[in-house]
């Protein structure tokens, strides 16, 4: 037996009734609009009061133009046409009629399609001219007709300009959202590739080596299994960190976030050296310049570039040695990974790894090169410029010393 508890005010029928009641009252008032306008205006003695009454009566009709444009616009035209005819020669009321109808045309143009707005102004201008020609005669006809037509065109152009600006703004917002989603998807793809591909490569090599020596050299097989376990745990921790970051916006998990390991950086390069050594490749690390703290994004990208380059060496180079040079310069960080293996042309070496390294470098406004060396082997080089803020803080720290 299930029990459903509703809090007061949660009944969906309750808010609908007042809304329906307001809508019925609004349409009753709008339906009586021509009659009220017809009756009220001739009883007022001054044109200023006439205009005030007309505007106050017109506001409810303009309010309904957004949701129900055609009935409201038809009532607006009919009411003003009747009022102008009854006014018996008050030319000022004709001008006010032109103003109100043009405002309605602009409001409809803002919310509706161009075809619908053109139909609206095509109907509105002849009605305005009919009201105008009932009072204007002689030489004043041509200027009055021209100004009325021009006012209608200006009202349509103003509404159309607002509508196009809204559409352009919405298109830019949609494009920005799509670009943000694409950038985030590529970032996740790079992280997964750099982390998982490296680990799977090491695991595959260790598993193959362990299976070959398990009968003859049990100790080496045990070492291979230990390396597989360590690599697997590190990869699992990285995946948990990534999933935790992706779930950070989830309201169910935001209140109780899981502890996250810090993102890796150049300080963790020795982990890569050990993993490569376990896979049979000795990595020589050379650090040039003064080691210092780097921005988090640059530090992570540098680590991932080295990680992917070493993965390619382990999996494809067919060599037992490679060299990694990390050069801390004043305005940039240079990373150079060189091996003396079989080497290959860039199209053959291409893949998601090379693409990912190039994307990481490009996002930091750096320069990336990769390709076979003339003397043999393969070289990966990334030049990552330091942000201006980081250089400024470094200069301040050196002055403080």
């Amino acid at each position: 037996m299930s029990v459903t508890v509703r809090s007061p005010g949660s009944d969906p029928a309750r808010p609908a009734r007042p809304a329906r009641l307001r809508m019925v009252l609004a349409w009753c008032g709008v339906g009586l609009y021509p009659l009220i306008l017809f009756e009220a205006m001739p009883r007022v003695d001054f044109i200023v009061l006439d205009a005030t009454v007309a505007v106050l009566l017109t506001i409810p009709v303009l309010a309904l133009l957004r949701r129900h444009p055609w009935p409201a616009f038809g009532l607006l035209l009919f009411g003003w046409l009747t009022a102008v005819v009854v006014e018996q020669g008050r030319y000022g009321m004709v001008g006010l009629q032109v103003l109100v109808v043009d405002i309605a045309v602009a409001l409809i143009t803002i919310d509706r399609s161009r075809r619908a707005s053109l139909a609206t102004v095509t109907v509105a201008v002849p009605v305005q001219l009919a009201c105008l020609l009932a009072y204007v005669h002689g030489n004043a006809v041509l200027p009055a007709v021209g100004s009325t037509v021009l006012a209608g065109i200006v009202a349509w152009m103003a509404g159309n300009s607002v509508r196009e600006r809204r559409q352009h703004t919405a298109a830019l917002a949609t494009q920005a959202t799509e670009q943000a989603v694409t950038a985030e998807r590529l970032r996740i793809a790079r992280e997964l590739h750099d982390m998982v591909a490296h680990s799977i490569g090491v695991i595959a090599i260790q598993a193959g080596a362990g299976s070959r020596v398990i009968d003859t050299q049990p100790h080496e097989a045990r070492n291979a299994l230990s390396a597989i376990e360590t690599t697997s745990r590190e990869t699992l921790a990285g995946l948990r960190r990534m999933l935790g970051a992706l779930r950070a916006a989830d309201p169910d998990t935001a209140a109780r976030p899981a502890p996250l390991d810090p993102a890796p950086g150049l300080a963790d390069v020795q982990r890569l050296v050990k993993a490569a050594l376990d896979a049979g490749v000795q990595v020589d690390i050379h650090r040039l310049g003064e080691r210092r703290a780097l921005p988090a994004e640059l530090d992570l990208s540098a680590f991932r570039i080295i990680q992917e380059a070493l993965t390619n060496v382990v999996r494809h180079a067919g060599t037992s040695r490679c060299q990694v040079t990390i050069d801390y310069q004043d305005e940039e960080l240079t990373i150079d990974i060189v091996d003396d293996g079989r080497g290959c042309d860039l199209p053959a070496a291409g893949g998601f790894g090379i693409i990912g390294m190039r994307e990481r470098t490009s996002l930091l406004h750096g320069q990336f090169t990769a390709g076979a060396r003339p003397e043999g082997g393969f070289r990966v080089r990334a030049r990552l410029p330091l942000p201006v803020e980081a250089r400024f803080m470094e200069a301040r720290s050196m002055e403080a010393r």
Side-chain angles (χ1 to χ4, degrees):
M1 178 178 177
S2 62
V3 178
T4 302
V5 179
R6 287 194 178 99
S7 60
S10 62
D11 189 356
R14 289 188 178 182
R17 291 175 183 173
R20 291 198 191 112
L21 180 59
R22 286 195 299 268
M23 185 62 65
V24 170
L25 292 177
W27 276 112
C28 287
V30 172
L32 296 175
Y33 170 74
L35 178 61
I36 297 173
L37 194 62
F38 178 84
E39 290 291 335
M41 292 182 60
R43 301 178 185 276
V44 182
D45 295 331
F46 302 101
I47 185 64
V48 176
L49 295 179
D50 283 0
T52 303
V53 172
V55 171
L56 291 177
L57 292 172
T58 304
I59 290 176
V61 183
L62 294 178
L64 288 172
L65 280 173
R66 173 163 294 186
R67 300 184 64 179
H68 307 281
W70 312 125
F73 187 67
L75 289 170
L76 184 70
L77 288 180
F78 179 71
W80 274 98
L81 180 61
T82 305
V84 169
V85 171
V86 171
E87 276 300 286
Q88 300 177 355
R90 286 186 178 178
Y91 180 68
M93 295 308 299
V94 179
L96 185 58
Q97 182 258 1
V98 172
L99 176 61
V100 171
V101 172
D102 285 345
I103 291 175
V105 169
L107 293 176
I108 292 177
T109 305
I110 290 173
D111 293 328
R112 302 296 164 176
S113 65
R114 178 172 296 183
R115 180 179 298 179
S117 62
L118 288 174
T120 302
V121 75
T122 303
V123 173
V125 171
V127 173
Q128 291 173 326
L129 293 177
C131 296
L132 185 68
L133 294 177
Y135 299 99
V136 181
H137 306 283
N139 294 332
V141 171
L142 187 59
V145 170
S147 60
T148 302
V149 174
L150 180 61
I153 295 175
V154 169
W156 181 86
M157 291 180 65
N160 187 66
S161 176
V162 174
R163 180 178 61 84
E164 289 182 346
R165 183 175 300 179
R166 286 183 178 179
Q167 291 177 347
H168 181 64
T169 302
L172 289 179
T174 301
Q175 183 179 4
T177 302
E178 292 176 352
Q179 290 176 349
V181 171
T182 301
E184 183 66 11
R185 187 176 67 247
L186 291 176
R187 185 189 70 82
I188 295 172
R190 286 192 299 270
E191 283 293 311
L192 286 175
H193 178 274
D194 293 347
M195 180 168 45
V196 176
H198 170 78
S199 302
I200 295 300
V202 172
I203 290 173
I205 293 174
Q206 292 290 346
S211 64
R212 287 192 296 270
V213 300
I214 190 171
D215 294 328
T216 58
Q217 301 178 1
H219 179 69
E220 294 297 329
R222 190 178 300 108
N223 291 337
L225 291 175
S226 177
I228 291 174
E229 180 184 7
T230 301
T231 304
S232 301
R233 291 184 182 278
E234 291 178 354
T235 305
L236 183 59
L239 290 175
R240 285 176 176 171
R241 185 184 66 252
M242 180 179 296
L243 292 176
L246 293 175
R247 288 179 174 270
D250 189 349
D252 293 336
T253 59
R256 43 181 177 80
L260 302 178
D261 297 333
L266 291 178
D268 304 300
V269 169
Q270 287 303 130
R271 287 166 38 193
L272 303 179
V273 173
K274 182 179 182 304
L277 184 61
D278 291 339
V281 177
Q282 182 177 347
V283 180
D284 298 324
I285 302 292
H286 297 277
R287 297 181 186 266
L288 306 178
E290 184 180 358
R291 296 178 60 177
R292 56 188 181 272
L294 299 172
E297 184 178 5
L298 190 149
D299 200 20
L300 174 62
S301 296
F303 177 86
R304 293 303 188 195
I305 290 172
I306 296 174
Q307 183 183 47
E308 177 58 30
L310 292 182
T311 300
N312 290 339
V313 172
V314 170
R315 297 176 63 183
H316 307 299
T319 182
S320 60
R321 299 183 67 90
C322 77
Q323 178 177 304
V324 176
T325 303
I326 304 173
D327 189 1
Y328 294 87
Q329 301 179 21
D330 293 337
E331 297 185 354
E332 67 180 15
L333 176 73
T334 302
I335 300 172
D336 202 23
I337 301 97
V338 179
D339 68 76
D340 57 355
R342 61 175 64 98
C344 62
D345 294 331
L346 189 57
F352 294 117
I354 297 293
I355 293 174
M357 289 188 285
R358 180 176 287 110
E359 286 179 349
R360 288 184 182 278
T361 306
S362 177
L363 288 174
L364 295 173
H365 307 287
Q367 298 179 2
F368 177 82
T369 56
R373 298 192 302 162
E375 62 272 24
F378 200 83
R379 177 189 296 273
V380 172
R381 171 174 292 178
R383 300 174 60 185
L384 308 176
L386 294 174
V388 177
E389 296 82 359
R391 298 203 297 267
F392 176 75
M393 295 300 295
E394 180 184 356
R396 290 288 298 273
S397 63
M398 293 183 65
E399 291 177 1
R401 294 175 188 175

